[in-house]
Amino acid sequence: MSDALTGVDTASTPGALVKPTAHTAWVGYATIVRKEVTRIVRIWVQTLVPPAITMTLYFVIFGNLIGKRIGTMDGFNYMDFIVPGLIMMSVITNSYGNTVSSFFGAKFGKHVEEMLISPLPVVVILAGYVTGAVFRGVLVGLVVLGVSLFFTDLQVAHPLVTISVVLITAVIFALAGMVNAIFANKFDDISIIPTFVLTPLTYLGGVFYSISLLPEFWQKVSLANPILYMVNAFRYGILGVSDVSLTVAYSVSAIFVLVLGSVCLVLLKRGVGLRS
């Protein structure tokens, strides 16, 4: 639909008629974040309880029962070794899941169109959804950390590394979830990537083992898995050990943030998958 006076396509150009101000952008960003946080807290039985129960089972089965037979790994009790991986697994799945479900829900309900024709820049819309997903990812990570304290006594070796890796990882998978949501046409589409891509990569990302245990060929194959770098960087932050260089891990993460962020902005500006 074009404006009769300006000829601007108001249906395809977000914020085309009103030049956004810093105040407008902030109000829009805060509104999206508040909506996302309220949604997460309101349905806490779905967002917080299942990860806590699932991770408790992991701690009991893998850490306690199987871990006693494994003994130590990289000089640490096996239970201590898997805690960083399990926390990171929960951050990854919940950051991804929050964005893909929330944004696709906005598409399905047709109210995403209201944001696109508002004076909000797409970068503000994206930032709002990503912030909400990061909030959920970090919150669930803290819940899992709390659960882990019933099974082990963790001492964080590098707090700044630990915090930064969690935040960067949550941002990466929030952006990845946004890409999935943009292209999804039905509810089944938002479960394909988590089931057939995200879950295998997570389990093969060094959550339960050190890649030094693998044959040389499979060690090299494992290095192609981006989640390996995030899990190991987080493990370094907590335990002080890692299978990969911390510099390489940060570099890989930064590349994913830039690439996925750019892809999301381009897709939102073009309205890919958002307009019929």
Side-chain angles (χ1 to χ4, degrees):
M1 179 176 67
S2 299
D3 181 75
L5 297 178
T6 62
V8 177
D9 185 358
T10 58
S12 60
T13 307
L17 299 181
V18 181
K19 184 177 180 180
T21 64
H23 177 70
T24 302
W26 170 252
V27 170
Y29 169 77
T31 301
I32 296 173
V33 172
R34 184 169 64 249
K35 176 181 72 70
E36 289 298 296
V37 171
T38 301
R39 170 181 171 271
I40 293 166
V41 174
R42 187 177 65 248
I43 57 173
W44 61 272
V45 174
Q46 300 176 37
T47 56
L48 301 180
V49 175
I53 295 175
T54 301
M55 292 306 158
T56 299
L57 293 174
Y58 277 123
F59 286 128
V60 172
I61 297 172
F62 288 94
N64 193 23
L65 300 179
I66 298 178
K68 289 180 180 179
R69 296 179 176 274
I70 295 177
T72 62
M73 188 166 293
D74 280 357
F76 291 91
N77 179 283
Y78 186 69
M79 175 74 81
D80 294 339
F81 181 85
I82 67 173
V83 167
L86 291 176
I87 294 175
M88 189 56 64
M89 179 191 296
S90 65
V91 171
I92 289 172
T93 55
N94 282 275
S95 298
Y96 187 98
N98 192 80
T99 307
V100 71
S101 62
S102 182
F103 193 78
F104 181 76
K107 283 177 55 179
F108 186 79
K110 301 296 183 182
H111 57 267
V112 68
E113 298 168 2
E114 298 175 1
M115 288 189 291
L116 291 174
I117 63 173
S118 72
L120 286 180
V122 290
V123 66
V124 174
I125 297 173
L126 178 62
Y129 277 96
V130 168
T131 302
V134 170
F135 172 80
R136 176 174 169 179
V138 172
L139 184 60
V140 173
L142 290 174
V143 170
V144 175
L145 175 61
V147 170
S148 71
L149 296 179
F150 289 98
F151 299 92
T152 184
D153 183 20
L154 286 180
Q155 300 294 328
V156 179
H158 306 284
L160 291 179
V161 173
T162 301
I163 295 172
S164 62
V165 170
V166 166
L167 293 177
I168 294 172
T169 301
V171 169
I172 290 172
F173 287 94
L175 293 170
M178 178 66 78
V179 175
N180 189 174
I182 289 173
F183 282 110
N185 294 317
K186 54 185 183 296
F187 282 100
D188 290 343
D189 293 339
I190 67 176
S191 63
I192 293 176
I193 299 299
T195 302
F196 296 104
V197 179
L198 193 58
T199 298
L201 287 179
T202 302
Y203 279 98
L204 297 174
V207 171
F208 298 103
Y209 59 88
S210 169
I211 63 169
S212 61
L213 299 176
L214 301 175
E216 184 177 356
F217 172 77
W218 291 111
Q219 289 186 36
K220 294 179 179 179
V221 172
S222 296
L223 294 177
N225 183 354
I227 294 180
L228 174 75
Y229 298 92
M230 303 168 202
V231 169
N232 273 275
F234 188 67
R235 181 171 286 129
Y236 176 83
I238 293 183
L239 302 179
V241 298
S242 174
D243 290 329
V244 298
S245 164
L246 193 62
T247 301
V248 174
Y250 273 112
S251 299
V252 170
S253 299
I255 291 172
F256 270 89
V257 169
L258 292 174
V259 172
L260 289 173
S262 300
V263 169
C264 287
L265 290 176
V266 170
L267 293 175
L268 287 172
K269 287 180 179 179
R270 294 181 177 179
V272 175
L274 303 178
R275 303 181 182 90
S276 57

